[in-house]
Amino acid sequence: MTQQDLPALSIADLQLLLRHREVSPREVIDALRARIELVDQEIGAYLSLDMESAANEAEKANVDLPLGGVPIAIKDIVSVIGQPCTCASKILQSYRATYDATVIRKLRAAGAIPFGKTNLDEFAMGSSTENSAAKLTRNPWDLARVPGGSSGGSAAAVAADEAFGALGSDTGGSIRQPAALCGVVGLKPTYGRVSRFGLVAFASSLDQIGPLTKNVRDAAMIMNAIAGHDPQDSTALNEPVPDYTAKLGNDLRGIRLGLPKQYMIEGIDSEVKTAIKTAVKHLNSLGAEIIEVSLPTTEYAIAVYYILATAEASANLARFDGVRYGYRAENPRDMLDLYGRTREEGFGPEVKRRIILSTYVLSSGYYDAYYLRAQKVRELIRRDFAMVFEKVDALISPTSPVPAFKLGERAADPLQMYLADIFTIAANLAGICGISVPCGFAEVDGHRLPIGLQLLGKALDEARVLQIAHAYEQSTDWHKARPPIASTTLE
Ligand code: GLN
């Protein structure tokens, strides 16, 4: 194994080499640094790197721990002590985190090394990473296309072998959709399964942190490290954490999979549709029973989400006032001028759009018509899932209706961008878990663009979702395909 080959390894394979002392954590950090120097000029996955501290940590790493010596990339919305936490916003451009998020503390306890912060849509609002105030991230499969979002930097880094695995956050699809568009695995845990202490809040009733990885086993390994109760996050569930790798390798006999009839809507790309149909047949041939189900209120999910998520976001973003954190407007006339201009100058257009939308839906007179009604419909969406999960173990759908779109293609049309989340958002509203695994390619303009299969599971049923995803993955070759940039090596 040469240094050049190391970055292409999965977490599981890397950890084995580390544990057997075939490579040292320091060699791994050096190999990763070289890889990032080689390809990140083109990809743009990282906003900041702290390779010096990572190298120091590597010297002390205990490789006998489950993630001992494994470097993990972190979406730049999760606090890592001493490192920038910009949320890809001008308003936090000079902010450095003063403490570790619980997930970081837990990753460190498992031996992992957080070494760099990945690009995202500003405050995780978007589906293409184009809303980043810092820079663009390009899709490793076609540099003219978006990596998806909002965890686009994390997904692109993993796909381009610039990270062994990464953390993202998912409020309406931001782990699963970029995973699908970049051809990697992305898991959104159940609401409350992973602590959000130290995650900069977007929509608190929807946000979850989860892994983006090269394969399903790696996602399970990260979940083993980060899941669990946390007294510092009152929404973190106090439920036992299973070993998420335990069911990997079990077959699919006896598993019932639901195919929601509402999810094969018009507007789905024909190659996506074909790939999903083929995946369904394949799952069936592996022993799973396929049952058609109905989720009638799902059609309202996007509308409900954009009312509730924006309302919560505007409350969460109220703290950025130029007094306590980050950017501050110069020479304010008075307090109101300070607040107003700091926010005018510090927030980008999408963040402002959401604050304006939420001010509208929360204003007296419209509160009942929009916010309250959206809350009620959210409850109906939740019940739809609860009913369906009495009949099936998991649900199947595309993750995204389309493969990666071109940079700039949808940026000017927020509604088009919002539709990118049509299959992912309902899971956040219902609080359930979901995963995206690679299931094929679309051929577009001479490029192969990855397609993702989404599996949704009941609350706290991550182990089963991982089991199904793993059985699918291991009996197909999709996860082995590498983007063209993967073959970029030092001459
Ligand atoms: N794309 C959705 C939005 O813009 C979801 C984002 C997310 O999950 N963070 O809100």
Side-chain angles (χ1 to χ4, degrees):
M1 173 81 36
T2 69
Q3 198 197 5
Q4 264 187 33
D5 300 326
L6 281 175
L9 292 177
S10 67
I11 292 177
D13 289 344
L14 175 71
Q15 222 293 311
L16 225 56
L17 288 185
L18 284 161
R19 187 167 303 189
H20 293 150
R21 275 69 176 173
E22 285 172 40
V23 290
S24 72
R26 181 58 201 256
E27 285 167 332
V28 172
I29 292 290
D30 291 344
L32 193 60
R33 188 204 307 246
R35 176 73 190 162
I36 293 170
E37 273 166 18
L38 186 66
V39 298
D40 207 48
Q41 287 278 79
E42 284 196 86
I43 302 292
Y46 287 98
L47 291 179
S48 59
L49 290 163
D50 192 356
M51 294 321 250
E52 289 314 308
S53 317
N56 286 337
E57 280 174 53
E59 301 290 350
K60 295 176 289 188
N62 175 358
V63 295
D64 295 319
L65 292 170
L67 296 175
V70 177
I72 301 285
I74 310 293
K75 186 178 184 180
D76 200 22
I77 193 166
V78 175
S79 303
V80 179
I81 191 166
Q83 293 186 20
C85 189
T86 69
C87 300
S89 179
K90 188 178 168 193
I91 215 157
L92 284 175
Q93 69 188 4
S94 54
Y95 173 74
R96 278 176 186 267
T98 53
Y99 65 100
D100 272 341
T102 298
V103 285
I104 301 300
R105 200 170 44 70
K106 285 178 173 254
L107 278 179
R108 291 193 205 275
I113 304 173
F115 64 91
K117 308 295 296 286
T118 56
N119 200 13
L120 66 153
D121 289 294
E122 185 175 359
F123 286 104
M125 297 176 185
S127 304
S128 68
T129 312
E130 290 166 294
N131 294 334
S132 167
K135 63 177 180 186
L136 287 177
T137 298
R138 295 173 184 277
N139 191 308
W141 293 87
D142 175 359
L143 299 176
R145 292 176 187 267
V146 303
S150 62
S151 312
S154 288
V158 173
D161 296 335
E162 294 182 79
F164 296 96
L167 290 188
S169 65
D170 190 313
T171 304
S174 277
I175 291 174
R176 293 160 287 159
Q177 186 262 12
L181 270 45
C182 289
V184 300
V185 171
L187 173 76
K188 182 201 94 74
T190 305
Y191 184 73
R193 178 71 292 189
V194 176
S195 163
R196 287 103 39 90
F197 178 72
L199 168 72
V200 179
F202 163 10
S204 305
S205 77
L206 302 158
D207 300 339
Q208 262 297 288
I209 297 173
L212 292 105
T213 51
K214 291 174 189 164
N215 63 38
V216 174
R217 177 171 297 277
D218 287 1
M221 288 173 74
I222 293 187
M223 280 301 288
N224 278 352
I226 65 174
H229 183 53
D230 177 13
Q232 285 176 297
D233 174 358
S234 61
T235 66
L237 299 167
N238 197 355
E239 297 287 335
V241 178
D243 174 359
Y244 290 107
T245 62
K247 283 189 183 169
L248 304 185
N250 288 7
D251 66 28
L252 298 187
R253 271 171 302 177
I255 296 274
R256 297 158 306 167
L257 296 176
L259 198 56
K261 52 179 179 218
Q262 289 81 3
Y263 281 19
M264 276 296 177
I265 49 161
E266 277 179 41
I268 302 189
D269 174 273
S270 67
E271 288 179 280
V272 171
K273 202 182 265 179
T274 309
I276 300 302
K277 282 190 180 155
T278 310
V280 170
K281 280 203 202 112
H282 185 74
L283 285 159
N284 187 224
S285 76
L286 294 177
E289 185 187 346
I290 310 292
I291 301 166
E292 191 181 72
V293 295
S294 181
L295 291 164
T297 49
T298 296
E299 66 173 296
Y300 305 110
I302 289 201
V304 167
Y305 171 86
Y306 277 97
I307 292 170
L308 299 179
T310 52
E312 294 182 26
S314 76
N316 280 324
L317 294 175
R319 73 190 59 160
F320 301 106
D321 55 7
V323 177
R324 287 166 291 183
Y325 308 87
Y327 181 76
R328 174 179 298 173
E330 281 176 18
N331 305 321
R333 281 193 315 277
D334 53 29
M335 191 73 141
L336 274 183
D337 186 46
L338 170 71
Y339 290 162
R341 275 200 299 115
T342 295
R343 292 165 68 82
E344 163 62 29
E345 293 161 21
F347 287 140
E350 181 62 26
V351 175
K352 286 180 191 158
R353 180 178 298 118
R354 302 216 184 180
I355 293 173
I356 292 167
L357 272 172
S358 92
T359 309
Y360 181 74
V361 300
L362 290 173
S363 55
S364 78
Y366 293 111
Y367 181 90
D368 287 1
Y370 294 110
Y371 185 75
L372 216 57
R373 184 164 302 173
Q375 291 283 27
K376 290 179 183 161
V377 180
R378 178 179 191 175
E379 182 52 31
L380 297 178
I381 292 170
R382 211 179 259 147
R383 278 189 217 165
D384 266 8
F385 279 106
M387 254 153 64
V388 162
F389 281 131
E390 283 178 14
K391 288 187 280 197
V392 299
D393 300 300
L395 294 164
I396 318 170
S397 78
T399 307
S400 160
V402 291
F405 40 93
K406 286 219 163 101
L407 285 157
E409 190 180 295
R410 295 187 176 200
D413 186 346
L415 204 57
Q416 273 301 311
M417 196 67 91
Y418 296 172
L419 290 174
D421 302 316
I422 194 147
F423 298 123
T424 47
I425 269 178
N428 300 75
L429 291 168
I432 60 176
C433 62
I435 197 168
S436 180
V437 280
C439 75
F441 288 95
E443 300 280 345
V444 190
D445 308 335
H447 292 274
R448 295 170 87 202
L449 303 178
I451 297 171
L453 170 75
Q454 179 176 241
L455 292 163
L456 297 176
K458 300 179 211 181
L460 294 177
D461 216 10
E462 284 83 358
R464 181 151 20 197
V465 165
L466 287 160
Q467 174 203 340
I468 301 166
H470 185 257
Y472 176 78
E473 174 192 82
Q474 292 302 310
S475 60
T476 59
D477 281 333
W478 307 118
H479 66 294
K480 293 185 194 151
R482 309 303 303 150
I485 192 115
S487 53
T488 305
T489 48
L490 286 172
E491 291 308 320

